[in-house]
Short mmCIF file of all heavy atoms in Angstrom, two decimals:
data_model
loop_
_atom_site.label_atom_id
_atom_site.label_comp_id
_atom_site.label_asym_id
_atom_site.label_seq_id
_atom_site.Cartn_x
_atom_site.Cartn_y
_atom_site.Cartn_z
N LEU R 1 129.09 70.69 22.16
CA LEU R 1 128.61 69.56 22.91
C LEU R 1 127.65 68.74 22.06
O LEU R 1 126.84 69.28 21.33
CB LEU R 1 127.88 70.02 24.17
CG LEU R 1 128.71 70.67 25.25
CD1 LEU R 1 127.79 71.22 26.33
CD2 LEU R 1 129.69 69.71 25.83
N LYS R 2 127.72 67.44 22.23
CA LYS R 2 126.80 66.55 21.53
C LYS R 2 125.49 66.47 22.31
O LYS R 2 125.49 66.39 23.53
CB LYS R 2 127.44 65.17 21.41
CG LYS R 2 126.62 64.19 20.62
CD LYS R 2 127.36 62.87 20.50
CE LYS R 2 126.48 61.89 19.74
NZ LYS R 2 127.12 60.59 19.63
N ALA R 3 124.37 66.49 21.60
CA ALA R 3 123.06 66.43 22.26
C ALA R 3 122.89 65.08 22.95
O ALA R 3 123.23 64.04 22.41
CB ALA R 3 121.95 66.64 21.24
N SER R 4 122.39 65.14 24.18
CA SER R 4 122.14 63.92 24.95
C SER R 4 120.70 63.47 24.74
O SER R 4 119.80 64.30 24.64
CB SER R 4 122.36 64.23 26.44
OG SER R 4 121.89 63.17 27.22
N PRO R 5 120.47 62.15 24.71
CA PRO R 5 119.11 61.68 24.50
C PRO R 5 118.20 61.89 25.71
O PRO R 5 117.00 61.75 25.62
CB PRO R 5 119.28 60.20 24.18
CG PRO R 5 120.58 59.82 24.78
CD PRO R 5 121.43 61.07 24.72
N GLY R 6 118.73 62.22 26.87
CA GLY R 6 117.90 62.50 28.03
C GLY R 6 117.21 61.28 28.60
O GLY R 6 116.14 61.39 29.18
N ARG R 7 117.79 60.13 28.45
CA ARG R 7 117.21 58.90 28.97
C ARG R 7 117.58 58.78 30.45
O ARG R 7 118.73 58.93 30.83
CB ARG R 7 117.77 57.71 28.18
CG ARG R 7 117.09 56.43 28.42
CD ARG R 7 117.59 55.40 27.40
NE ARG R 7 116.89 54.17 27.60
CZ ARG R 7 117.47 52.98 27.60
NH1 ARG R 7 118.78 52.89 27.39
NH2 ARG R 7 116.77 51.91 27.78
N ASP R 8 116.59 58.51 31.30
CA ASP R 8 116.81 58.45 32.74
C ASP R 8 116.40 57.09 33.29
O ASP R 8 115.44 56.48 32.82
CB ASP R 8 115.99 59.53 33.46
CG ASP R 8 116.42 60.92 33.07
OD1 ASP R 8 117.61 61.21 33.18
OD2 ASP R 8 115.56 61.71 32.65
N LEU R 9 117.12 56.65 34.32
CA LEU R 9 116.79 55.40 35.00
C LEU R 9 116.15 55.75 36.33
O LEU R 9 116.74 56.44 37.16
CB LEU R 9 118.04 54.55 35.23
CG LEU R 9 117.83 53.24 35.99
CD1 LEU R 9 116.90 52.31 35.22
CD2 LEU R 9 119.16 52.57 36.26
N LEU R 10 114.91 55.28 36.54
CA LEU R 10 114.19 55.50 37.79
C LEU R 10 114.27 54.23 38.61
O LEU R 10 113.87 53.15 38.16
CB LEU R 10 112.73 55.85 37.51
CG LEU R 10 111.82 55.93 38.73
CD1 LEU R 10 112.28 57.05 39.67
CD2 LEU R 10 110.38 56.13 38.31
N LEU R 11 114.82 54.34 39.80
CA LEU R 11 114.85 53.23 40.75
C LEU R 11 113.91 53.57 41.89
O LEU R 11 114.14 54.53 42.61
CB LEU R 11 116.27 53.01 41.28
CG LEU R 11 117.34 52.69 40.25
CD1 LEU R 11 118.72 52.68 40.87
CD2 LEU R 11 117.05 51.34 39.60
N GLY R 12 112.84 52.81 42.01
CA GLY R 12 111.86 53.11 43.04
C GLY R 12 111.17 51.87 43.54
O GLY R 12 111.59 50.74 43.24
N PRO R 13 110.09 52.05 44.29
CA PRO R 13 109.39 50.92 44.88
C PRO R 13 108.80 49.96 43.84
O PRO R 13 108.53 48.81 44.14
CB PRO R 13 108.29 51.56 45.72
CG PRO R 13 108.21 52.97 45.30
CD PRO R 13 109.50 53.33 44.66
N GLU R 14 108.63 50.45 42.63
CA GLU R 14 108.08 49.61 41.56
C GLU R 14 109.18 48.93 40.76
O GLU R 14 108.93 48.33 39.73
CB GLU R 14 107.20 50.47 40.65
CG GLU R 14 106.04 51.11 41.40
CD GLU R 14 105.45 52.30 40.69
OE1 GLU R 14 105.91 52.65 39.59
OE2 GLU R 14 104.53 52.89 41.25
N GLY R 15 110.43 49.04 41.20
CA GLY R 15 111.57 48.44 40.50
C GLY R 15 112.30 49.46 39.66
O GLY R 15 112.14 50.67 39.81
N ALA R 16 113.13 48.96 38.75
CA ALA R 16 113.92 49.82 37.85
C ALA R 16 113.16 50.01 36.55
O ALA R 16 112.58 49.07 36.01
CB ALA R 16 115.27 49.19 37.58
N ARG R 17 113.18 51.25 36.06
CA ARG R 17 112.46 51.55 34.81
C ARG R 17 113.19 52.66 34.07
O ARG R 17 113.53 53.69 34.66
CB ARG R 17 111.05 51.99 35.15
CG ARG R 17 110.25 52.34 33.92
CD ARG R 17 108.84 52.67 34.28
NE ARG R 17 108.17 53.08 33.07
CZ ARG R 17 106.92 53.43 33.01
NH1 ARG R 17 106.20 53.44 34.09
NH2 ARG R 17 106.40 53.80 31.87
N TRP R 18 113.43 52.45 32.78
CA TRP R 18 114.01 53.50 31.94
C TRP R 18 112.91 54.45 31.49
O TRP R 18 111.85 54.01 31.04
CB TRP R 18 114.70 52.90 30.71
CG TRP R 18 116.02 52.30 31.03
CD1 TRP R 18 116.31 50.98 31.15
CD2 TRP R 18 117.24 53.01 31.28
NE1 TRP R 18 117.64 50.82 31.48
CE2 TRP R 18 118.23 52.05 31.55
CE3 TRP R 18 117.59 54.36 31.29
CZ2 TRP R 18 119.54 52.38 31.84
CZ3 TRP R 18 118.90 54.69 31.58
CH2 TRP R 18 119.86 53.72 31.85
N LEU R 19 113.13 55.72 31.62
CA LEU R 19 112.21 56.75 31.15
C LEU R 19 112.81 57.35 29.88
O LEU R 19 113.87 57.96 29.91
CB LEU R 19 112.01 57.82 32.21
CG LEU R 19 111.45 57.31 33.54
CD1 LEU R 19 111.44 58.44 34.56
CD2 LEU R 19 110.06 56.75 33.36
N GLU R 20 112.13 57.16 28.80
CA GLU R 20 112.63 57.62 27.50
C GLU R 20 112.37 59.10 27.32
O GLU R 20 111.41 59.65 27.86
CB GLU R 20 111.95 56.84 26.38
CG GLU R 20 112.21 55.34 26.41
CD GLU R 20 113.68 54.98 26.25
OE1 GLU R 20 114.40 55.73 25.56
OE2 GLU R 20 114.10 53.97 26.81
N PRO R 21 113.22 59.74 26.56
CA PRO R 21 113.02 61.18 26.30
C PRO R 21 111.89 61.40 25.31
O PRO R 21 111.58 60.55 24.48
CB PRO R 21 114.36 61.61 25.70
CG PRO R 21 114.86 60.37 25.03
CD PRO R 21 114.40 59.23 25.91
N SER R 22 111.26 62.57 25.41
CA SER R 22 110.26 62.93 24.43
C SER R 22 110.89 63.75 23.30
O SER R 22 110.40 63.77 22.20
CB SER R 22 109.13 63.72 25.08
OG SER R 22 109.64 64.82 25.78
N ASP R 23 111.99 64.42 23.60
CA ASP R 23 112.69 65.25 22.62
C ASP R 23 114.19 65.14 22.85
O ASP R 23 114.62 64.88 23.97
CB ASP R 23 112.35 66.74 22.80
CG ASP R 23 110.97 67.09 22.29
OD1 ASP R 23 110.38 66.28 21.58
OD2 ASP R 23 110.50 68.19 22.64
N VAL R 24 114.94 65.38 21.81
CA VAL R 24 116.39 65.58 21.96
C VAL R 24 116.64 67.01 21.52
O VAL R 24 116.38 67.38 20.38
CB VAL R 24 117.20 64.59 21.09
CG1 VAL R 24 118.68 64.90 21.18
CG2 VAL R 24 116.92 63.16 21.51
N LEU R 25 117.08 67.82 22.46
CA LEU R 25 117.29 69.24 22.17
C LEU R 25 118.78 69.51 22.03
O LEU R 25 119.59 68.91 22.74
CB LEU R 25 116.68 70.07 23.30
CG LEU R 25 115.18 69.82 23.51
CD1 LEU R 25 114.70 70.49 24.78
CD2 LEU R 25 114.39 70.31 22.32
N PRO R 26 119.15 70.40 21.13
CA PRO R 26 120.57 70.62 20.82
C PRO R 26 121.29 71.57 21.78
O PRO R 26 122.25 72.22 21.41
CB PRO R 26 120.51 71.21 19.42
CG PRO R 26 119.23 71.97 19.41
CD PRO R 26 118.28 71.15 20.25
N PHE R 27 120.81 71.67 23.01
CA PHE R 27 121.44 72.58 23.97
C PHE R 27 121.18 72.07 25.38
O PHE R 27 120.39 71.17 25.59
CB PHE R 27 120.89 74.00 23.81
CG PHE R 27 119.40 74.07 23.91
CD1 PHE R 27 118.76 74.09 25.15
CD2 PHE R 27 118.62 74.09 22.77
CE1 PHE R 27 117.38 74.13 25.24
CE2 PHE R 27 117.23 74.14 22.85
CZ PHE R 27 116.61 74.16 24.09
N THR R 28 121.85 72.67 26.34
CA THR R 28 121.61 72.39 27.75
C THR R 28 121.16 73.68 28.42
O THR R 28 121.30 74.76 27.86
CB THR R 28 122.88 71.87 28.45
OG1 THR R 28 123.90 72.86 28.33
CG2 THR R 28 123.36 70.58 27.82
N ALA R 29 120.61 73.57 29.60
CA ALA R 29 120.16 74.75 30.34
C ALA R 29 120.42 74.54 31.82
O ALA R 29 120.47 73.41 32.29
CB ALA R 29 118.68 75.00 30.09
N ARG R 30 120.56 75.64 32.52
CA ARG R 30 120.76 75.60 33.96
C ARG R 30 119.42 75.36 34.67
O ARG R 30 118.39 75.82 34.20
CB ARG R 30 121.34 76.93 34.45
CG ARG R 30 122.59 77.38 33.75
CD ARG R 30 123.81 76.68 34.19
NE ARG R 30 124.04 76.91 35.61
CZ ARG R 30 124.99 76.31 36.29
NH1 ARG R 30 125.77 75.46 35.71
NH2 ARG R 30 125.14 76.55 37.56
N GLY R 31 119.45 74.64 35.79
CA GLY R 31 118.27 74.50 36.62
C GLY R 31 117.37 73.32 36.33
O GLY R 31 116.33 73.17 36.95
N THR R 32 117.77 72.47 35.39
CA THR R 32 116.89 71.35 35.03
C THR R 32 116.72 70.35 36.17
O THR R 32 115.62 69.84 36.39
CB THR R 32 117.39 70.62 33.77
OG1 THR R 32 118.74 70.20 33.99
CG2 THR R 32 117.33 71.51 32.55
N GLY R 33 117.78 70.08 36.91
CA GLY R 33 117.68 69.13 38.02
C GLY R 33 116.79 69.64 39.13
O GLY R 33 115.94 68.90 39.66
N CYS R 34 116.95 70.90 39.49
CA CYS R 34 116.11 71.50 40.53
C CYS R 34 114.64 71.56 40.10
O CYS R 34 113.74 71.28 40.89
CB CYS R 34 116.59 72.90 40.87
SG CYS R 34 118.20 72.92 41.68
N ALA R 35 114.41 71.91 38.84
CA ALA R 35 113.04 71.97 38.33
C ALA R 35 112.40 70.58 38.32
O ALA R 35 111.24 70.42 38.70
CB ALA R 35 113.02 72.57 36.93
N ALA R 36 113.16 69.57 37.93
CA ALA R 36 112.64 68.20 37.89
C ALA R 36 112.32 67.71 39.31
O ALA R 36 111.26 67.11 39.55
CB ALA R 36 113.63 67.26 37.22
N ALA R 37 113.22 67.96 40.25
CA ALA R 37 112.99 67.52 41.63
C ALA R 37 111.77 68.22 42.23
O ALA R 37 110.96 67.58 42.91
CB ALA R 37 114.24 67.80 42.47
N SER R 38 111.63 69.51 41.97
CA SER R 38 110.49 70.25 42.50
C SER R 38 109.18 69.77 41.89
O SER R 38 108.17 69.62 42.59
CB SER R 38 110.66 71.75 42.24
OG SER R 38 111.79 72.23 42.92
N ALA R 39 109.18 69.52 40.58
CA ALA R 39 107.97 69.04 39.91
C ALA R 39 107.60 67.65 40.41
O ALA R 39 106.41 67.35 40.62
CB ALA R 39 108.18 69.04 38.40
N ALA R 40 108.57 66.78 40.59
CA ALA R 40 108.30 65.44 41.10
C ALA R 40 107.75 65.51 42.53
O ALA R 40 106.78 64.81 42.88
CB ALA R 40 109.55 64.57 41.04
N ALA R 41 108.34 66.35 43.37
CA ALA R 41 107.87 66.51 44.75
C ALA R 41 106.43 67.01 44.78
O ALA R 41 105.62 66.55 45.59
CB ALA R 41 108.80 67.44 45.52
N ALA R 42 106.12 67.97 43.90
CA ALA R 42 104.76 68.50 43.85
C ALA R 42 103.77 67.41 43.43
O ALA R 42 102.68 67.29 44.00
CB ALA R 42 104.70 69.68 42.88
N ALA R 43 104.14 66.60 42.44
CA ALA R 43 103.26 65.53 41.99
C ALA R 43 103.08 64.47 43.08
O ALA R 43 101.97 63.94 43.28
CB ALA R 43 103.82 64.89 40.72
N LEU R 44 104.14 64.17 43.81
CA LEU R 44 104.03 63.22 44.92
C LEU R 44 103.12 63.78 46.02
O LEU R 44 102.32 63.05 46.61
CB LEU R 44 105.41 62.90 45.50
CG LEU R 44 106.31 62.04 44.61
CD1 LEU R 44 107.73 62.02 45.17
CD2 LEU R 44 105.76 60.63 44.48
N ALA R 45 103.22 65.08 46.28
CA ALA R 45 102.37 65.71 47.28
C ALA R 45 100.90 65.65 46.89
O ALA R 45 100.02 65.63 47.76
CB ALA R 45 102.80 67.17 47.50
N LEU R 46 100.63 65.58 45.60
CA LEU R 46 99.25 65.44 45.12
C LEU R 46 98.77 63.99 45.17
O LEU R 46 97.62 63.71 44.83
CB LEU R 46 99.14 65.97 43.68
CG LEU R 46 99.30 67.48 43.53
CD1 LEU R 46 99.34 67.87 42.06
CD2 LEU R 46 98.17 68.21 44.24
N GLY R 47 99.67 63.09 45.57
CA GLY R 47 99.27 61.69 45.73
C GLY R 47 99.55 60.79 44.55
O GLY R 47 99.11 59.64 44.53
N LEU R 48 100.28 61.27 43.56
CA LEU R 48 100.59 60.42 42.41
C LEU R 48 101.62 59.36 42.78
O LEU R 48 102.49 59.60 43.63
CB LEU R 48 101.13 61.26 41.26
CG LEU R 48 100.13 62.23 40.61
CD1 LEU R 48 100.83 63.14 39.64
CD2 LEU R 48 99.04 61.44 39.91
N PRO R 49 101.56 58.19 42.15
CA PRO R 49 102.60 57.17 42.37
C PRO R 49 103.96 57.70 41.89
O PRO R 49 104.03 58.58 41.02
CB PRO R 49 102.15 56.00 41.50
CG PRO R 49 100.72 56.25 41.17
CD PRO R 49 100.52 57.74 41.24
N VAL R 50 105.02 57.14 42.43
CA VAL R 50 106.38 57.61 42.13
C VAL R 50 106.65 57.65 40.63
O VAL R 50 107.12 58.66 40.09
CB VAL R 50 107.43 56.74 42.85
CG1 VAL R 50 108.84 57.09 42.38
CG2 VAL R 50 107.31 56.90 44.35
N THR R 51 106.38 56.56 39.93
CA THR R 51 106.68 56.51 38.49
C THR R 51 105.93 57.58 37.72
O THR R 51 106.50 58.26 36.86
CB THR R 51 106.37 55.11 37.92
OG1 THR R 51 107.13 54.15 38.63
CG2 THR R 51 106.70 55.02 36.44
N GLU R 52 104.66 57.78 38.03
CA GLU R 52 103.86 58.80 37.34
C GLU R 52 104.36 60.20 37.69
O GLU R 52 104.43 61.08 36.83
CB GLU R 52 102.39 58.65 37.69
CG GLU R 52 101.48 59.66 37.04
CD GLU R 52 101.43 59.57 35.51
OE1 GLU R 52 101.90 58.58 34.93
OE2 GLU R 52 100.91 60.52 34.90
N ALA R 53 104.72 60.43 38.94
CA ALA R 53 105.22 61.74 39.36
C ALA R 53 106.50 62.09 38.62
O ALA R 53 106.66 63.22 38.13
CB ALA R 53 105.46 61.75 40.87
N VAL R 54 107.40 61.14 38.50
CA VAL R 54 108.67 61.38 37.81
C VAL R 54 108.45 61.56 36.31
O VAL R 54 109.06 62.41 35.68
CB VAL R 54 109.69 60.27 38.12
CG1 VAL R 54 110.94 60.41 37.28
CG2 VAL R 54 110.03 60.28 39.61
N ARG R 55 107.54 60.77 35.74
CA ARG R 55 107.23 60.91 34.31
C ARG R 55 106.70 62.31 34.03
O ARG R 55 107.11 62.97 33.07
CB ARG R 55 106.22 59.85 33.87
CG ARG R 55 105.94 59.87 32.36
CD ARG R 55 104.76 58.99 32.00
NE ARG R 55 103.50 59.48 32.55
CZ ARG R 55 102.82 60.53 32.07
NH1 ARG R 55 103.30 61.23 31.05
NH2 ARG R 55 101.68 60.89 32.61
N ARG R 56 105.79 62.78 34.86
CA ARG R 56 105.23 64.13 34.67
C ARG R 56 106.29 65.22 34.89
O ARG R 56 106.29 66.24 34.18
CB ARG R 56 104.05 64.36 35.60
CG ARG R 56 102.84 63.58 35.18
CD ARG R 56 101.65 64.00 35.96
NE ARG R 56 100.50 63.18 35.66
CZ ARG R 56 99.26 63.49 36.01
NH1 ARG R 56 99.03 64.61 36.67
NH2 ARG R 56 98.27 62.69 35.70
N ALA R 57 107.17 65.01 35.85
CA ALA R 57 108.25 65.98 36.07
C ALA R 57 109.15 66.06 34.85
O ALA R 57 109.56 67.15 34.44
CB ALA R 57 109.06 65.58 37.31
N LYS R 58 109.45 64.92 34.25
CA LYS R 58 110.28 64.89 33.05
C LYS R 58 109.59 65.63 31.90
O LYS R 58 110.22 66.40 31.17
CB LYS R 58 110.59 63.44 32.68
CG LYS R 58 111.64 63.29 31.62
CD LYS R 58 112.08 61.83 31.54
CE LYS R 58 113.01 61.59 30.40
NZ LYS R 58 114.34 62.13 30.59
N GLU R 59 108.29 65.44 31.75
CA GLU R 59 107.53 66.17 30.72
C GLU R 59 107.56 67.67 30.99
O GLU R 59 107.69 68.47 30.06
CB GLU R 59 106.08 65.68 30.69
CG GLU R 59 105.91 64.31 30.09
CD GLU R 59 104.47 63.85 30.12
OE1 GLU R 59 103.60 64.57 30.66
OE2 GLU R 59 104.21 62.74 29.62
N PHE R 60 107.43 68.06 32.25
CA PHE R 60 107.47 69.47 32.61
C PHE R 60 108.80 70.11 32.23
O PHE R 60 108.85 71.18 31.64
CB PHE R 60 107.21 69.62 34.12
CG PHE R 60 107.38 71.03 34.61
CD1 PHE R 60 106.38 71.96 34.44
CD2 PHE R 60 108.54 71.42 35.25
CE1 PHE R 60 106.53 73.26 34.89
CE2 PHE R 60 108.71 72.70 35.71
CZ PHE R 60 107.69 73.64 35.52
N VAL R 61 109.89 69.43 32.56
CA VAL R 61 111.23 69.96 32.26
C VAL R 61 111.44 70.02 30.75
O VAL R 61 112.01 70.98 30.24
CB VAL R 61 112.33 69.16 32.98
CG1 VAL R 61 113.71 69.57 32.49
CG2 VAL R 61 112.22 69.36 34.48
N THR R 62 110.98 69.01 30.03
CA THR R 62 111.10 69.03 28.56
C THR R 62 110.37 70.24 27.98
O THR R 62 110.90 70.94 27.12
CB THR R 62 110.57 67.73 27.95
OG1 THR R 62 111.34 66.63 28.46
CG2 THR R 62 110.66 67.74 26.43
N ALA R 63 109.16 70.52 28.48
CA ALA R 63 108.40 71.69 28.01
C ALA R 63 109.14 72.98 28.37
O ALA R 63 109.21 73.91 27.55
CB ALA R 63 107.00 71.69 28.62
N ALA R 64 109.71 73.04 29.58
CA ALA R 64 110.46 74.23 29.99
C ALA R 64 111.70 74.43 29.14
O ALA R 64 112.08 75.56 28.83
CB ALA R 64 110.83 74.11 31.48
N LEU R 65 112.34 73.33 28.73
CA LEU R 65 113.50 73.43 27.83
C LEU R 65 113.09 73.95 26.47
O LEU R 65 113.79 74.75 25.86
CB LEU R 65 114.19 72.07 27.70
CG LEU R 65 115.09 71.68 28.86
CD1 LEU R 65 115.46 70.20 28.77
CD2 LEU R 65 116.34 72.54 28.89
N ARG R 66 111.94 73.50 25.97
CA ARG R 66 111.47 74.00 24.67
C ARG R 66 111.25 75.51 24.71
O ARG R 66 111.40 76.19 23.71
CB ARG R 66 110.16 73.30 24.29
CG ARG R 66 110.34 71.97 23.68
CD ARG R 66 109.02 71.48 23.08
NE ARG R 66 108.92 70.05 23.29
CZ ARG R 66 108.09 69.44 24.13
NH1 ARG R 66 107.24 70.16 24.84
NH2 ARG R 66 108.09 68.15 24.25
N GLU R 67 110.84 76.03 25.88
CA GLU R 67 110.55 77.46 26.03
C GLU R 67 111.75 78.25 26.57
O GLU R 67 111.63 79.43 26.87
CB GLU R 67 109.37 77.65 26.98
CG GLU R 67 108.08 77.09 26.45
CD GLU R 67 106.93 77.29 27.43
OE1 GLU R 67 107.09 78.05 28.41
OE2 GLU R 67 105.89 76.69 27.21
N SER R 68 112.90 77.59 26.73
CA SER R 68 114.06 78.27 27.31
C SER R 68 114.56 79.37 26.39
O SER R 68 114.26 79.39 25.20
CB SER R 68 115.17 77.26 27.61
OG SER R 68 115.71 76.75 26.41
N TYR R 69 115.31 80.27 26.98
CA TYR R 69 115.84 81.40 26.22
C TYR R 69 117.27 81.70 26.68
O TYR R 69 117.64 81.41 27.81
CB TYR R 69 114.94 82.63 26.37
CG TYR R 69 114.66 83.01 27.80
CD1 TYR R 69 115.47 83.94 28.45
CD2 TYR R 69 113.61 82.42 28.50
CE1 TYR R 69 115.23 84.29 29.77
CE2 TYR R 69 113.36 82.76 29.82
CZ TYR R 69 114.17 83.69 30.45
OH TYR R 69 113.93 84.03 31.75
N PRO R 70 118.08 82.27 25.77
CA PRO R 70 119.46 82.55 26.12
C PRO R 70 119.61 83.78 27.02
O PRO R 70 118.91 84.77 26.84
CB PRO R 70 120.14 82.78 24.77
CG PRO R 70 119.04 83.22 23.87
CD PRO R 70 117.78 82.57 24.38
N VAL R 71 120.52 83.65 27.97
CA VAL R 71 120.94 84.77 28.82
C VAL R 71 122.45 84.64 28.93
O VAL R 71 122.95 83.72 29.57
CB VAL R 71 120.28 84.73 30.21
CG1 VAL R 71 120.86 85.82 31.09
CG2 VAL R 71 118.77 84.86 30.11
N GLY R 72 123.17 85.52 28.28
CA GLY R 72 124.63 85.39 28.23
C GLY R 72 125.01 84.11 27.52
O GLY R 72 124.51 83.82 26.43
N ASP R 73 125.87 83.31 28.14
CA ASP R 73 126.29 82.05 27.51
C ASP R 73 125.51 80.85 28.05
O ASP R 73 125.89 79.72 27.83
CB ASP R 73 127.80 81.85 27.69
CG ASP R 73 128.20 81.70 29.15
OD1 ASP R 73 127.36 82.00 30.03
OD2 ASP R 73 129.34 81.29 29.40
N GLN R 74 124.42 81.11 28.76
CA GLN R 74 123.58 80.05 29.32
C GLN R 74 122.18 80.11 28.72
O GLN R 74 121.84 81.07 28.04
CB GLN R 74 123.46 80.22 30.85
CG GLN R 74 124.75 80.21 31.59
CD GLN R 74 125.36 78.83 31.66
OE1 GLN R 74 124.65 77.83 31.75
NE2 GLN R 74 126.67 78.76 31.60
N ARG R 75 121.38 79.09 29.02
CA ARG R 75 119.96 79.13 28.68
C ARG R 75 119.18 79.03 29.98
O ARG R 75 119.55 78.31 30.88
CB ARG R 75 119.57 77.99 27.75
CG ARG R 75 120.14 78.20 26.34
CD ARG R 75 119.56 77.22 25.36
NE ARG R 75 118.19 77.51 24.98
CZ ARG R 75 117.82 78.36 24.03
NH1 ARG R 75 118.71 79.03 23.36
NH2 ARG R 75 116.55 78.53 23.75
N VAL R 76 118.08 79.76 30.07
CA VAL R 76 117.22 79.79 31.25
C VAL R 76 115.92 79.08 30.90
O VAL R 76 115.36 79.30 29.82
CB VAL R 76 116.94 81.25 31.68
CG1 VAL R 76 115.98 81.30 32.85
CG2 VAL R 76 118.24 81.94 32.02
N LEU R 77 115.45 78.24 31.82
CA LEU R 77 114.21 77.52 31.58
C LEU R 77 113.04 78.47 31.46
O LEU R 77 112.90 79.41 32.22
CB LEU R 77 113.94 76.53 32.72
CG LEU R 77 114.91 75.39 32.88
CD1 LEU R 77 114.50 74.52 34.05
CD2 LEU R 77 115.01 74.56 31.61
N GLY R 78 112.16 78.19 30.50
CA GLY R 78 110.92 78.93 30.35
C GLY R 78 109.84 78.22 31.14
O GLY R 78 109.38 77.16 30.74
N LEU R 79 109.47 78.76 32.27
CA LEU R 79 108.53 78.08 33.17
C LEU R 79 107.16 78.72 33.17
O LEU R 79 106.36 78.50 34.06
CB LEU R 79 109.10 78.06 34.60
CG LEU R 79 110.45 77.34 34.75
CD1 LEU R 79 110.99 77.54 36.16
CD2 LEU R 79 110.30 75.87 34.42
N SER R 80 106.83 79.48 32.15
CA SER R 80 105.57 80.23 32.15
C SER R 80 104.38 79.43 31.63
O SER R 80 103.25 79.84 31.84
CB SER R 80 105.73 81.48 31.29
OG SER R 80 106.00 81.11 29.95
N SER R 81 104.61 78.28 31.00
CA SER R 81 103.51 77.60 30.35
C SER R 81 102.61 76.83 31.30
O SER R 81 101.50 76.47 30.96
CB SER R 81 104.04 76.61 29.30
OG SER R 81 104.65 75.51 29.95
N GLY R 82 103.09 76.54 32.51
CA GLY R 82 102.30 75.72 33.43
C GLY R 82 102.16 74.31 32.93
O GLY R 82 101.18 73.64 33.17
N ALA R 83 103.17 73.83 32.19
CA ALA R 83 103.14 72.52 31.54
C ALA R 83 102.77 71.40 32.44
O ALA R 83 102.93 71.17 33.51
CB ALA R 83 104.49 72.22 30.91
#
């Protein structure tokens, strides 16, 4: 598989905004969407604006990907850092 740049389009109350990746990693991992949604929801619950909540969620998932480890033919997110 070719590495994806991880660029995301956020459509929210502040309009459309591209969120650029901080890293391009040469692998994929299971659970990234669920982890991103949970992190964004937690940030919103703390009162952060939508754009900031999603930006922080993206940073969290990127950190978890950096700490991921192989299990069989998949990679599992490393969520221990509290990123």
Side-chain angles (χ1 to χ4, degrees):
L1 292 173
K2 184 177 178 182
S4 169
R7 191 171 183 224
D8 296 307
L9 178 62
L10 172 63
L11 300 172
E14 300 160 1
R17 179 176 176 179
W18 283 104
L19 301 174
E20 299 298 329
S22 54
D23 285 346
V24 176
L25 302 170
F27 55 82
T28 60
R30 306 283 299 174
T32 56
C34 292
S38 297
L44 289 169
L46 291 173
L48 292 172
V50 171
T51 302
E52 179 64 13
V54 172
R55 184 190 66 76
R56 288 190 185 193
K58 191 168 173 72
E59 287 178 357
F60 174 80
V61 171
T62 299
L65 281 167
R66 278 191 217 109
E67 295 180 11
S68 68
Y69 53 93
V71 174
D73 63 347
Q74 302 287 325
R75 289 190 74 85
V76 177
L77 294 180
L79 300 173
S80 63
S81 71

